[in-house]
Amino acid sequence: MFNNEIFAATLARGVDLMRKSDAKEQQKAALRALVTLAAAGSATVRSYDGILSVDDVQIDAGLPFAGGLSARMAAHNISEIAIGRNAEPAELLALIRGLAEGPYGVAQVKERLRDAKSQKIMVLLSDENPAKKRNSLSLLFEDVQQEAPRVPGAAAKARGPKDDSAEVLEAWDALNSSGNKNSMMQEIDLGFTAEPEAPAAPPPPPPVNDAPAPGIPIPADTPLGMALIRVARRPHDGDILERLTRLAEAAQVAINQGQGGDVMRMLAMVVGLSQGAAEGTPQNSYRITMRRILSRDALLQLAPVIKDPAYADETALVLPHAGAEATDVFLTLLIDADNIKERRAYMNALRAMPQGREQIPRMLTHHQWFVVRNIAELVGEMKLELAIPDLGKLLDHQDPRVRRAAAIALAKIGTPQAMEPVRNALKGAAPDLRALVASLVGSAHAATFGAPLMSQLEIEEDPDALKEICGALARINTPETIQALERTTKQGGMFNRRAKLAREAAEGALKRTSRG
């Protein structure tokens, strides 16, 4: 599955590494990763006013190497780069080398691509005719055929004295003709003239199934297990993004094959590994990978696991790392849930989501009463202040169960904005609801609910409601609420039933306060 952020990070990292003459192995790995991503789909990279985007999806400025890519595009006066699906490695190599160099001439990157006989990569300069600035890759590729004939040697003059691309392309052609395509990326010479290093035999990589990393929660002999082991053995090394990318690909295959439980356990372990990663590239690599795996389609496929109590611990760890889109997914699942057990599971999932919470209150206008009730309960438990206006309207809902849930939610939120709706709920609600709302008020609501509760105390007649109101005033425990209780204990009217009940309730509340 194509991911805009991973594509941007991989391209930017490749360009950055090409500027370092002592990072040949890392350069090869970066090129391998870029070839793999290009095989998954086409992409158009744009940089306007310092804002980088891939296929019109804005890239976070904090993404590793993203700022460097924008700077290199600006240095070469490039506003857009169109990369077609299955772009050849030689084309991609020419692109990232051209961006990394100089610039020694305005059209340097274009010359690099011409030298590579590129058919699937097109760059658009910032000062070109605006009519050429089109989104379609096919139209951009047509422009390649309309370029003026290349003057022999122009590219070399533009790039300066050093130009060893021909050697690279010859090495690539030789490998291509040999039919050994699997080894192309390992053998291709990136053409840097670094000082030769003394040959050293690297230690052989340990077999995947031999001594797997401790704590692997899934079978080690599966593709997903093997990819997880490669990450767990070296969770914070420099090439972690490449290994996490392969893990994400294995996870998607496992999800499609119905192995959602293994994927959820794997993700829970990845969350733990990410906590030890350093700030910057390692942490961002984990963040990008989690978002890539937890796409909308994947979350829908993982729904049976998310609602399974056996995976409750793993789900609680993993879901906070999903994006804001996950909130919309769980709202949809909540509406379509068949029973209380499923609804409760999806409400728990929504509670775990730190992003996208602004989408939740819109469901308070749903046409089904039980959906509205469930959402009202949820926003109350989550204390979502932005839901207060809609909750206030629900106090007039035709269904008493919805009115009850809205009043309770307002009491739980307990902010000053909730005071007026709660005052209305105390006045117009049934006695049992007035008592319940009062029972939810605590000392944290002192600045909000003291005044409406004191007003209600003067007119309340229900015994249970009186007890809860007095108890709430005692818990608030401000000078004003204590004085209101003391005045109530001194009310006259020996034969007035309401006054007698109020005195008894106030006296009991004050006694509990003094004991506390």
Side-chain angles (χ1 to χ4, degrees), residues 2 7 36-43 55 83-87 137:
F2 185 84
F7 189 92
T36 300
L37 291 177
S42 60
D55 291 340
I83 302 175
R85 183 169 185 166
N86 289 321
L137 286 174

Side-chain angles (χ1 to χ4, degrees), residues 48-335:
Y48 289 105
D49 299 325
I51 298 176
L52 189 68
S53 65
V54 176
D55 291 340
D56 296 323
V57 175
Q58 184 172 334
I59 301 302
D60 187 345
L63 190 74
F65 307 105
L69 179 58
S70 294
R72 297 311 301 165
M73 291 177 67
H76 287 275
N77 199 34
I78 293 174
S79 58
E80 298 185 16
I81 303 172
I83 302 175
R85 183 169 185 166
N86 289 321
E88 293 292 330
E91 299 176 83
L92 294 166
L93 174 62
L95 173 66
I96 59 179
R97 291 193 66 181
L99 287 170
E101 292 174 342
Y104 302 104
V106 174
Q108 176 183 347
V109 178
K110 284 194 171 187
E111 293 289 350
R112 279 283 190 191
L113 293 171
R114 286 197 186 106
D115 285 346
K117 299 180 174 60
S118 174
Q119 296 295 318
K120 295 187 177 181
I121 298 179
M122 174 67 188
V123 296
L124 189 65
L125 301 182
S126 300
D127 56 359
E128 289 184 338
N129 187 338
K132 288 187 178 182
K133 296 185 177 181
R134 295 167 288 181
N135 292 338
S136 170
L137 286 174
S138 60
L139 292 176
L140 287 173
F141 295 152
E142 290 173 6
D143 292 340
V144 177
Q145 308 301 327
Q146 299 170 7
E147 295 282 353
R150 178 169 58 91
V151 178
K157 293 178 181 178
R159 285 191 294 272
K162 175 188 173 184
D163 182 8
D164 48 11
S165 291
E167 298 176 11
V168 177
L169 297 178
E170 288 174 4
W172 180 266
D173 290 339
L175 286 167
N176 191 35
S177 61
S178 70
N180 188 15
K181 294 184 177 181
N182 291 333
S183 64
M184 289 180 190
M185 301 313 303
Q186 285 80 6
E187 299 299 331
I188 185 170
D189 180 9
L190 295 176
F192 283 98
T193 57
E195 291 295 327
E197 300 177 357
V208 171
N209 293 328
D210 181 28
I216 295 295
I218 60 178
D221 57 351
T222 63
L224 184 63
M226 290 186 286
L228 179 57
I229 288 171
R230 294 188 185 100
V231 172
R233 278 188 173 136
R234 296 182 293 113
H236 310 137
D237 284 6
D239 65 339
I240 185 61
L241 178 58
E242 182 179 354
R243 286 180 284 122
L244 285 171
T245 300
R246 294 177 182 175
L247 179 62
E249 294 167 353
Q252 186 58 60
V253 173
I255 291 173
N256 293 337
Q257 293 177 348
Q259 301 168 14
D262 284 350
V263 172
M264 189 60 70
R265 285 190 291 267
M266 175 275 292
L267 288 170
M269 182 173 182
V270 169
V271 170
L273 294 173
S274 69
Q275 294 173 356
E279 292 293 334
T281 301
Q283 278 282 2
N284 288 330
S285 298
Y286 278 97
R287 178 179 60 84
I288 292 169
T289 302
M290 293 293 290
R291 295 286 180 85
R292 180 185 181 189
I293 296 175
L294 295 172
S295 65
R296 181 183 183 88
D297 291 341
L299 286 168
L300 289 171
Q301 290 176 281
L302 290 170
V305 177
I306 293 170
K307 66 185 182 183
D308 189 340
Y311 295 94
D313 292 341
E314 290 85 353
T315 299
L317 282 173
V318 170
L319 292 185
H321 299 273
E325 190 180 35
T327 300
D328 184 64
V329 172
F330 294 128
L331 284 171
T332 301
L333 292 171
L334 176 63
I335 294 171

